[in-house]
Amino acid sequence: MDLFEAIKNRRSIRAFKQEPISDEVLRKILEAACWAPSAGNLQPWEFVIVKDPIIKKELCRAALNQYFIHEAPVVIVVCANLDRSSRKYGSRGRDLYAICDASAATQNILLAAHALGLGSCWIGAFYDDEVSKVLELPSGVKPIAIVPIGYPDEKPSPPSRLPLERVVHREKYK
Ligand SMILES: Cc1cc2nc3c(=O)[nH]c(=O)nc-3n(C[C@H](O)[C@H](O)[C@H](O)COP(=O)(O)O)c2cc1C
């Protein structure tokens, strides 16, 4: 798949077939996640794989009842290991780099899933403390994105993007 095509044609998918995802395919997606860039190559990401319907349901509740989390065969919760980044970079590592790095890994997951014929969605609307409790995350590990993945059962049309002229600034912001 051409990279530019993949970037442009990836959509947030919120309806999934019940077809399972093989371990091999899941591994490919996770490997792609780990090839994301990270500050100082610290790789401060942690991935919690959820297939258990009870835990999926609890995640769903923590994420304002976004029911499609429960319908996906696999959910990857991408977390940032804040301690790993702050040990080297202090508050900038904790407050910025760890979040950026986990976000870059998340984008790789979305694109890799798409390249493999799967659909996914970046879910950011959730209560951190509830997700941390459900997944028993240690302190210093912050949930960044809940990513349900499955074979798509919808084909959404592309939402528009702001024109380049509006978001690109030459030399100075004006
Ligand atoms: C940080 C972030 C948080 C998001 N949170 C949610 C969410 O909680 N629920 C949801 O359905 N989609 C969520 N999305 C997906 C966006 O709605 C979606 O990317 C956007 O509408 C553009 O659509 P597209 O991904 O199909 O291009 C989120 C995306 C990002 C990057």
Side-chain angles (χ1 to χ4, degrees):
M1 189 182 278
D2 173 71
L3 177 65
F4 290 90
E5 236 175 74
I7 289 172
K8 211 163 171 183
N9 294 338
R10 177 211 57 80
R11 291 279 66 78
S12 290
I13 297 298
R14 300 179 178 89
F16 303 99
K17 295 189 172 134
Q18 283 313 298
E19 202 179 323
I21 298 175
S22 71
D23 288 346
E24 193 193 344
V25 164
L26 184 57
R27 194 178 169 83
K28 262 187 157 172
I29 293 170
L30 292 166
E31 275 175 359
C34 292
W35 280 101
S38 62
N41 197 27
L42 292 183
Q43 305 162 55
W45 38 63
E46 311 281 352
F47 307 102
V48 183
I49 311 302
V50 177
K51 294 183 184 174
D52 182 332
I54 294 169
I55 301 183
K56 279 195 275 183
K57 206 163 226 167
E58 286 172 353
L59 283 178
C60 186
R61 203 171 309 137
L64 320 176
N65 290 317
Q66 298 190 67
Y67 62 90
F68 55 93
I69 294 173
H70 185 245
E71 288 173 357
V74 175
V75 179
I76 302 176
V77 183
V78 183
C79 304
N81 190 322
L82 307 180
D83 293 344
R84 202 178 296 156
S85 287
S86 69
R87 270 198 292 276
K88 184 162 184 191
Y89 293 118
S91 61
R92 196 159 179 82
R94 167 174 293 273
D95 300 338
L96 182 65
Y97 294 162
I99 317 294
C100 293
D101 299 342
S103 298
T106 305
Q107 175 70 349
N108 276 13
I109 289 175
L110 305 188
L111 286 173
H114 176 59
L116 291 165
L118 290 154
S120 64
C121 184
W122 181 324
I123 293 180
F126 54 78
Y127 295 106
D128 288 14
D129 51 346
E130 285 184 26
V131 171
S132 298
K133 194 170 165 202
V134 168
L135 301 178
E136 299 179 9
L137 300 181
S139 70
V141 173
K142 178 186 170 70
I144 301 297
I146 297 176
V147 186
I149 303 182
Y151 289 94
D153 202 20
E154 63 169 352
K155 205 174 180 317
S157 38
S160 64
R161 291 302 195 253
L162 295 172
L164 274 188
E165 295 66 35
R166 171 120 181 247
V167 294
V168 176
H169 309 275
R170 310 271 172 205
E171 319 304 346
K172 304 225 169 166
Y173 191 110
K174 51 185 179 209

